[in-house]
Amino acid sequence: MAEPPILGLLGEFGTADALLGAVKRAREAGYQHIDAFSPYPVEGMAEALSIRDHRIGWLSVIGGAVGIAATLAVQVFVNFDYPIEVGGRPLIALPAFFVVDFELMILCAVLFPIIGMLWMNRLPRLHHPLFGTPRFSLASDDRFFLYIEADDPKFDRDGTRGFLGSLGAWSIEAVRP
Amino acid sequence: MASTSRPILPLDQSLHDVSVEIGRVPLRFPARVPWLIALIFSLALLLLFFVSVTWLMTWGVGVWGLNIPVNWAFAIHLYVWWLGLGHAGTLISAMLLLMGQDWRNSLNRFAEAMTLCAVVCAGIYPIIHLGRPWFFYWMFPYPATMGVWPQFRSPLEWDIWAVLTYLTVSLLFWYIGLIPDLATVRDRAKKRGWQVFFGIFALGWRGSARHWARWQKAYRTTAAIAVPLVVSVHSEVSLLFASGQVPGWHSTIFPPYFVLGAAFSGFAMVAMIALVVRHFFGLKEIVTDQHMDVLAKVLLASGLMTAYGYVFEVFDAFYSGDAREIATTYDRFFGMYAWSFWGAVLFNFVPLQGLWFKRVRRSPVLLFLIGTSVVIGMWLERYMILVTSLYKDFLVSSFGEYHTTFWDWGTYLGTIGLFFTPFLLFIRYIPSISIFEDKEVLAREKKEARHG
């Protein structure tokens, strides 16, 4: 009987340092498709997994620019389209516009990165195969998991299981679709 | 990262203890009876709010005590006061996050919730003080069949956009900070209903390192933007005053003075709420005496800065040499509403001096009383700034008096219900202290303790 297909192997670790060490050794061993799960962001993990993603920051900059430009455009437009003359005061009154400009610049500079973050993380996604793994619920409590995907070129069911064991994983579970 | 020499959280607890201790609050609520009493009380106030607003909508703003010349009365006074209370939540959360102050992690979550509830109360005032509140949507630039557009040179537009932005940003900041904790509670929940409830709102958070990396960038970016936002929102409020002609509203210190006063009252409110929450939920291991000590020091510092604003405002009036400015200052000292000025000075700054002493800072009862005094003091200050300037300005013909009515108070006390009802629901159903951030601090502190 052939074994049912699996998506990957999940190794459990007790501390953030153990996980960080395991990730580094997995990278050294040549694994590419790996991910780490932790109850809180672990310092140095992004570097260990060589995650270099600056898009969030740029989204904020773009959002701010779009926000202020669009608000200014709307304000100028409505003052031309429906001019309200008040004692000869200028219609395009930049100082009076500035508060709203600034607020909407801020609003867009926050909305863009947050929406971008959710979109890039592919959230909301209420179900994921990892949730089917019994011990994975501890990833939000006090355990740290290293996940090696089955589509990794170096993945080999028994070899990878042995490798995770050699890293000192407390438990090793197969993730099924 | 600034690490304190002494750990802020007791080191004899494990990461799992933190999940259990905070996560149990929504799942197996500890303080049912006090919570229920508080909820009934605040629902009664909320009812009063609805009655008052219905009365207002039926008869118009004439049911309030405002008049000419005092046409900015309770509505603007309480708008400023509520908004100010809210600001401390953002400052604790955002500014202290960026400064790497670990002690913030036990306080930020409910401080942010407090911000949200306070901003709702504040935001309701500019709407209901419109003559015809049901047309509030005219403030949005939409292509109306009437062919008119809103007047963007008007401070009313500043208000709506400032409050709307502040509300949205506070909500998003609070929510994305909450997602990982919702996931924690989702995974701890035993009952199906809770699993579904937290499951949906946790958006399927898994704690992946890639997600964390992006999340952290987005969270910190929002925090970095939220700090100037707070400053801009309350500066905007002070500019509302400056765009009026009335004496007493033109001191150049107004924007920082307003922002600091707001932070001052808000820190007092956070301290009070923190004391009550930790007392009833038994969270002394998470919100420790040391947290309260640091918070009390911040309260003292922001209070002294606000006091500087008082001094400078008076100085500014005399330095200007403007007769009417000086007369308004005398009216504040000795006039009909002098009680509001001296009351503000008394309540804001006299009990505050107790916070120089460590024993007072670490005494829950005294700190709570000082917090109450500050909240009352800032209430009086906002009243003083409004009424003492308006009731006597340039011409004798526009001198007048202001007296509050029952409906002024009804609406105000009602907003207290509007504040506490959602807040009580929040501390009941949602982890009111940040679980993952406290774990992060605890893990770091343990590591430091191990390595000396």
Side-chain angles (χ1 to χ4, degrees):
Chain A
M1 195 179 97
E3 279 190 79
I6 61 170
L7 292 175
L9 287 169
L10 193 64
E12 177 186 350
F13 296 87
T15 63
D17 287 343
L19 177 67
L20 197 58
V23 167
K24 283 179 182 157
R25 283 183 53 197
R27 297 278 302 181
E28 280 161 17
Y31 286 102
Q32 308 284 328
H33 298 200
I34 60 176
D35 201 353
F37 298 87
S38 54
Y40 55 84
V42 177
E43 234 179 298
M45 188 59 80
E47 291 76 18
L49 283 166
S50 26
I51 302 169
R52 275 181 293 270
D53 193 343
H54 301 290
R55 287 178 294 174
I56 299 284
W58 281 110
L59 275 176
S60 181
V61 174
I62 294 167
V66 169
I68 196 166
T71 314
L72 200 55
V74 167
Q75 292 180 342
V76 170
F77 168 74
V78 303
N79 273 287
F80 276 124
D81 195 48
Y82 189 78
I84 303 172
E85 298 285 354
V86 188
R89 289 182 177 84
L91 280 179
I92 310 303
L94 293 179
F97 290 171
F98 186 71
V99 173
V100 183
D101 288 340
F102 185 81
E103 299 302 339
L104 280 148
M105 175 182 80
I106 295 246
L107 182 64
C108 294
V110 165
L111 277 177
F112 276 45
I114 289 181
I115 293 171
M117 181 268 286
L118 290 176
W119 185 74
M120 288 179 220
N121 284 350
R122 302 287 184 268
L123 294 175
R125 174 176 177 180
L126 295 191
H127 190 68
H128 191 276
L130 279 168
F131 290 128
T133 320
R135 296 190 68 79
F136 186 70
S137 69
L138 296 176
S140 63
D141 187 8
D142 60 348
R143 298 300 154 79
F144 300 80
F145 290 87
L146 171 61
Y147 179 48
I148 302 184
E149 288 175 27
D151 58 8
D152 191 284
K154 260 198 82 146
F155 188 85
D156 159 68
R157 199 179 273 212
D158 297 323
T160 304
R161 187 175 280 272
F163 175 70
L164 278 171
S166 76
L167 293 177
W170 292 0
S171 76
I172 301 162
E173 288 175 311
V175 179
R176 302 190 186 284
Chain B
M1 285 286 152
S3 61
T4 40
S5 50
R6 255 177 316 163
I8 195 110
L9 294 170
L11 292 181
D12 54 358
Q13 48 191 349
S14 69
L15 298 182
H16 177 67
D17 291 340
V18 175
S19 310
V20 171
E21 205 168 342
I22 305 172
R24 83 190 146 86
V25 172
L27 296 175
R28 272 183 301 282
F29 195 63
R32 278 176 197 280
V33 176
W35 182 82
L36 210 59
I37 293 170
L39 185 70
I40 290 170
F41 191 64
S42 67
L43 281 175
L45 288 176
L46 188 63
L47 185 67
L48 179 63
F49 175 77
F50 285 121
V51 171
S52 304
V53 170
T54 309
W55 194 256
L56 175 79
M57 298 258 183
T58 314
W59 297 106
V61 284
V63 301
W64 289 344
L66 45 70
N67 56 31
I68 301 295
V70 187
N71 47 11
W72 279 20
F74 255 38
I76 308 254
H77 161 211
L78 295 166
Y79 164 64
V80 181
W81 185 73
W82 275 119
L83 205 55
L85 285 186
H87 284 337
T90 320
L91 287 178
I92 284 192
S93 260
M95 196 163 73
L96 300 179
L97 170 79
L98 299 174
M99 287 160 63
Q101 295 294 317
D102 288 344
W103 61 272
R104 136 226 197 259
N105 290 345
S106 291
L107 306 170
N108 66 326
R109 180 66 47 71
F110 60 79
E112 287 164 32
M114 181 194 88
T115 299
L116 281 176
C117 301
V119 176
V120 169
C121 293
I124 211 85
Y125 267 111
I127 292 178
I128 58 174
H129 97 303
L130 298 171
R132 293 176 291 168
W134 46 94
F135 290 134
F136 77 95
Y137 62 89
W138 285 5
M139 286 185 283
F140 296 105
Y142 70 100
T145 49
M146 298 172 285
V148 295
W149 291 102
Q151 165 61 297
F152 272 106
R153 289 169 291 168
S154 151
L156 188 62
E157 286 289 325
W158 305 352
D159 263 348
I160 189 95
W161 293 107
V163 173
L164 209 63
T165 300
Y166 191 47
L167 184 65
T168 316
V169 172
S170 307
L171 185 69
L172 285 171
F173 188 55
W174 172 78
Y175 181 62
I176 63 165
L178 188 61
I179 290 173
D181 281 358
L182 291 173
T184 301
V185 186
R186 171 198 67 200
D187 294 341
R188 304 283 85 71
K190 297 272 187 295
K191 288 184 190 143
R192 186 70 191 152
W194 282 129
Q195 288 173 340
V196 172
F197 173 76
F198 288 115
I200 289 172
F201 287 102
L203 305 180
W205 182 262
R206 302 190 289 281
S208 153
R210 288 191 173 75
H211 290 187
W212 275 124
R214 292 193 194 103
W215 176 91
Q216 230 175 354
K217 284 219 174 80
Y219 192 60
R220 297 184 75 90
T221 307
T222 310
I225 296 173
V227 176
L229 174 63
V230 168
V231 174
S232 83
V233 168
H234 231 67
S235 300
E236 179 267 329
V237 170
S238 80
L239 293 178
L240 295 183
F241 289 81
S243 66
Q245 298 285 329
V246 180
W249 289 354
H250 294 275
S251 166
T252 47
I253 200 152
F254 250 44
Y257 170 48
F258 265 58
V259 174
L260 284 166
F264 179 43
S265 61
F267 283 129
M269 192 73 182
V270 171
M272 288 160 71
I273 291 178
L275 288 166
V276 173
V277 166
R278 80 167 189 167
H279 176 74
F280 281 110
F281 295 170
L283 290 171
K284 288 206 168 54
E285 299 286 294
I286 303 284
V287 184
T288 60
D289 281 344
Q290 201 177 336
H291 282 108
M292 300 321 296
D293 188 85
V294 183
L295 193 55
K297 282 180 188 160
V298 174
L299 182 63
L300 178 60
S302 55
L304 294 174
M305 289 187 248
T306 309
Y308 172 78
Y310 273 58
V311 173
F312 193 85
E313 216 196 345
V314 174
F315 169 79
D316 194 60
F318 287 101
Y319 187 69
S320 75
D322 183 275
R324 205 45 250 175
E325 288 281 343
I326 294 171
T328 296
T329 306
Y330 277 120
D331 285 338
R332 285 179 180 173
F333 288 164
F334 310 113
M336 196 178 156
Y337 298 98
W339 55 268
S340 65
F341 179 81
W342 295 111
V345 171
L346 185 76
F347 281 102
N348 272 338
F349 305 122
V350 176
L352 184 74
Q353 304 311 318
L355 297 179
W356 290 101
F357 304 101
K358 191 171 187 171
R359 272 183 42 211
V360 180
R361 289 197 302 267
R362 289 187 175 242
S363 154
V365 178
L366 289 177
L367 185 56
F368 189 87
L369 290 176
I370 292 172
T372 317
S373 164
V374 168
V375 171
I376 297 172
M378 286 307 294
W379 191 96
L380 288 166
E381 183 204 301
R382 297 334 194 179
Y383 182 92
M384 175 271 287
I385 289 177
L386 268 169
V387 178
T388 57
S389 281
L390 284 169
Y391 88 108
K392 269 183 169 182
D393 57 24
F394 304 97
L395 297 172
V396 182
S397 60
S398 63
F399 287 10
E401 287 179 12
Y402 170 66
H403 299 286
T404 52
T405 65
F406 173 79
W407 295 110
D408 274 319
W409 288 100
T411 318
Y412 167 55
L413 296 174
T415 53
I416 295 179
L418 184 66
F419 174 82
F420 275 109
T421 308
F423 189 79
L424 286 166
L425 293 174
F426 155 77
I427 55 173
R428 167 70 185 83
Y429 291 109
I430 290 170
S432 53
I433 291 174
S434 177
I435 301 175
F436 78 95
E437 281 165 313
D438 268 327
K439 284 181 191 163
E440 207 178 346
V441 173
L442 189 62
R444 184 160 58 235
E445 283 179 344
K446 283 192 169 190
K447 204 165 150 186
E448 275 163 14
R450 259 199 316 276
H451 299 301

